[in-house]
Amino acid sequence: MTHQPETILRIDSSAQHAGSTTRELTSELIDVLRQQSDSEIVERDVSLGLPFVDADWVSANFTPEEDRSPAQAKKLSFSDSLVKELQRASTVVIGLPIYNFGVPASLKAWVDMIARARLTFRYTPDGPEGLLNGKRAFLVVASGGTPVGSDIDFATTYMRHALKFVGITDVTIIDAGEAAQGADAAKERARGQIREIHTRLAA
């Protein structure tokens, strides 16, 4: 067991609160992670609502920081706070229910807010380069009928790519998919994967 303090950023996106599979399993996973190190948990529930990118946001974002007006700085202030949360975290745990084959709109809004040139990625002659290296992420995934990792699962592929875009390539998926075929079985499958993570980290 290590004792290096770390910050775990927990992101919930399920529209459900009571009875949410992703919220329940995310809590169980974080309990396991906290056994491995002294941890501070930062919680961000995006289901409560995030601003969407609009014309003023885009204009402010493309204006160099030193040239931004007070109004532009204010427009980006919430996005700045989300970026700082992500920069600070060493581990990111994302509750990801699959809605209509994709991610919840609130989680897409979060990605739009944290994908910031010069802060979380940069453009190079060889293409975009993520700046948030050395972090790990866990996607706690639940679905009704969509098999996780299948051709109709656009949620996990999108989140993997979005995280890689900002430099987070160590991504582990906890699969509680296809709950319509048996919710208890889906949860137990996911809990088995969490137990495997516990065993791996403890070793």
Side-chain angles (χ1 to χ4, degrees):
M1 179 180 294
T2 63
H3 294 281
Q4 292 181 336
E6 71 163 333
T7 298
I8 298 174
L9 174 59
R10 171 180 179 156
I11 300 171
D12 287 302
S13 63
S14 175
Q16 286 186 299
H17 287 251
S20 165
T21 296
T22 57
R23 291 176 189 270
E24 181 179 344
L25 293 172
T26 292
S27 293
E28 294 177 17
L29 173 60
I30 287 178
D31 286 343
V32 165
L33 297 176
R34 294 185 76 172
Q35 295 177 35
Q36 309 307 314
S37 65
D38 298 326
S39 304
E40 175 191 3
I41 310 301
V42 176
E43 298 184 353
R44 174 63 66 178
D45 189 344
V46 300
S47 76
L48 300 176
L50 269 67
F52 292 130
V53 168
D54 59 18
D56 289 339
W57 191 98
V58 171
S59 177
N61 189 43
F62 278 95
T63 300
E65 183 176 2
E66 62 274 14
D67 296 331
R68 287 173 191 154
S69 68
Q72 288 178 319
K74 183 178 180 180
K75 188 69 177 179
L76 294 176
S77 61
F78 187 76
S79 171
D80 290 340
S81 67
L82 296 181
V83 168
K84 288 175 182 176
E85 287 178 350
L86 190 54
Q87 289 172 328
R88 182 181 173 195
S90 53
T91 298
V92 184
V93 178
I94 301 175
L96 174 58
I98 298 178
Y99 290 168
N100 302 312
F101 317 108
V103 303
S106 60
L107 188 56
K108 173 60 166 63
W110 178 83
V111 171
D112 290 342
M113 287 285 125
I114 62 91
R116 296 275 302 277
R118 302 176 299 280
L119 291 180
T120 58
F121 74 95
R122 64 183 176 187
Y123 291 109
T124 75
D126 299 320
E129 176 186 354
L131 300 177
L132 303 180
N133 302 301
K135 303 179 186 295
R136 62 179 177 175
F138 295 88
L139 300 178
V140 180
V141 187
S143 75
T146 301
V148 175
S150 69
D151 290 343
I152 60 172
D153 167 16
F154 302 104
T156 60
T157 52
Y158 171 76
M159 287 306 302
R160 276 187 180 276
H161 184 80
L163 291 168
K164 180 180 178 182
F165 184 70
V166 296
I168 303 174
T169 57
D170 181 355
V171 180
T172 300
I173 291 178
I174 309 299
D175 175 5
E178 297 181 277
Q181 298 183 18
D184 291 341
K187 285 185 182 181
E188 185 51 39
R189 181 174 65 249
R191 289 190 173 112
Q193 295 166 5
I194 291 172
R195 288 192 292 269
E196 290 175 4
I197 291 170
H198 179 268
T199 300
R200 186 175 75 243
L201 294 177

